[in-house]
Amino acid sequence: LAKTTQPISMDSYEGQEVNITCSHNNIATNDYITWYQQFPSQGPRFIIQGYKTKVTNEVASLFIPADRKSSTLSLPRVSLSDTAVYYCLVGYGGATNKLIFGTGTLLAVQP
Amino acid sequence: SQTIHQWPATLVQPVGSPLSLECTVEGTSNPNLYWYRQAAGRGLQLLFYSVGIGQISSEVPQNLSASRPQDRQFILSSKKLLLSDSGFYLCAFRVGNSYEQYFGPGTRLTVT
């Protein structure tokens, strides 16, 4: 499975847009990119998934450049409740059934 | 709707005692099932996954084992707990070719 690299932590203020970038240089042709959010003492929650270009849902946007070696999760106008750990995962190319989480990025939103 | 249950929610066990954590899924059939462990302040470590009844894949060699006696039941066990087994244990499932995993509420295990 492709290894991912994310910043350990990020700080932001309420109302700002936050962009978290993930590097995945060894991504395979069939791999998808998935982002999860985890609050303390809870299981991770699926946020968004994409293969290339841009994907947007009601929660976030995911930007993937043409070479797919990185991806950026964009959270518009964050609030205090967005303080959480965000995980970037690469895989599920059809040949594997496992999902391996990295260390994630701790986003701390200040008032 | 699809739901996932785990119990117990919290557990305090002495070193050397056995362990049994149970996970059940409702509202779907033939899910892929997963056990993860998360140590305090750390990321999630994949322990086991299963693609069908009786089919278990182990990711980390350790004193834990997993079983899937029924399609929607996943059990994590140990014969003798170690202090290092303390952590937050999460069960999850995935259906078909979906890229989305659904996680249970977790079990907080403290080994003393």
Side-chain angles (χ1 to χ4, degrees):
Chain A
L1 294 174
K3 180 180 178 180
T4 61
T5 303
Q6 304 174 234
I8 294 175
S9 63
M10 294 182 66
D11 294 322
S12 183
Y13 292 94
E14 282 190 294
Q16 289 188 333
E17 177 185 73
V18 171
N19 296 309
I20 305 174
T21 298
C22 178
S23 297
H24 28 79
N25 293 320
N26 297 322
I27 189 170
T29 302
N30 295 329
D31 284 341
Y32 276 69
I33 300 156
T34 312
W35 285 80
Y36 282 78
Q37 174 192 56
Q38 186 183 24
F39 297 111
S41 298
Q42 295 184 26
R45 181 177 69 98
F46 173 88
I47 300 175
I48 198 167
Q49 164 239 307
Y51 183 80
K52 62 180 179 180
T53 63
K54 177 183 175 182
V55 179
T56 297
N57 61 23
E58 65 279 5
V59 177
S61 294
L62 179 59
F63 298 91
I64 306 169
D67 65 6
R68 304 198 330 120
K69 293 184 182 298
S70 66
S71 59
T72 299
L73 175 72
S74 180
L75 305 172
R77 298 178 298 281
V78 295
S79 64
L80 295 176
S81 62
D82 292 316
T83 294
V85 177
Y86 292 82
Y87 296 96
C88 162
L89 296 93
V90 174
Y92 281 156
T96 180
N97 289 298
K98 55 186 180 181
L99 190 65
I100 295 180
F101 287 75
T103 54
T105 298
L106 174 58
L107 172 65
V109 180
Q110 309 289 339
Chain B
S1 62
Q2 300 170 344
T3 56
I4 180 170
H5 304 279
Q6 281 186 249
W7 62 91
T10 60
L11 191 60
V12 180
Q13 292 284 94
V15 169
S17 63
L19 173 73
S20 180
L21 302 181
E22 189 164 344
C23 169
T24 59
V25 177
E26 296 178 355
T28 187
S29 59
N30 197 31
N32 285 359
L33 296 171
Y34 305 82
W35 277 112
Y36 292 87
R37 178 172 62 195
Q38 187 169 35
R42 307 288 296 275
L44 280 80
Q45 179 186 33
L46 178 63
L47 302 175
F48 303 94
Y49 68 95
S50 171
V51 300
I53 296 174
Q55 300 179 61
I56 308 295
S57 297
S58 175
E59 287 297 300
V60 183
Q62 53 203 342
N63 68 320
L64 299 174
S65 62
S67 62
R68 184 171 177 173
Q70 301 181 44
D71 180 46
R72 290 169 290 178
Q73 184 185 29
F74 206 22
I75 298 173
L76 182 69
S77 303
S78 174
K79 292 182 179 178
K80 289 184 178 181
L81 284 169
L82 306 173
L83 285 174
S84 58
D85 290 324
S86 293
F88 190 44
Y89 287 81
L90 289 158
C91 180
F93 75 94
R94 179 174 74 93
V95 178
N97 292 322
S98 168
Y99 290 83
E100 184 171 353
Q101 274 196 343
Y102 299 89
F103 284 81
T107 295
R108 178 78 58 189
L109 172 66
T110 303
V111 182
T112 60

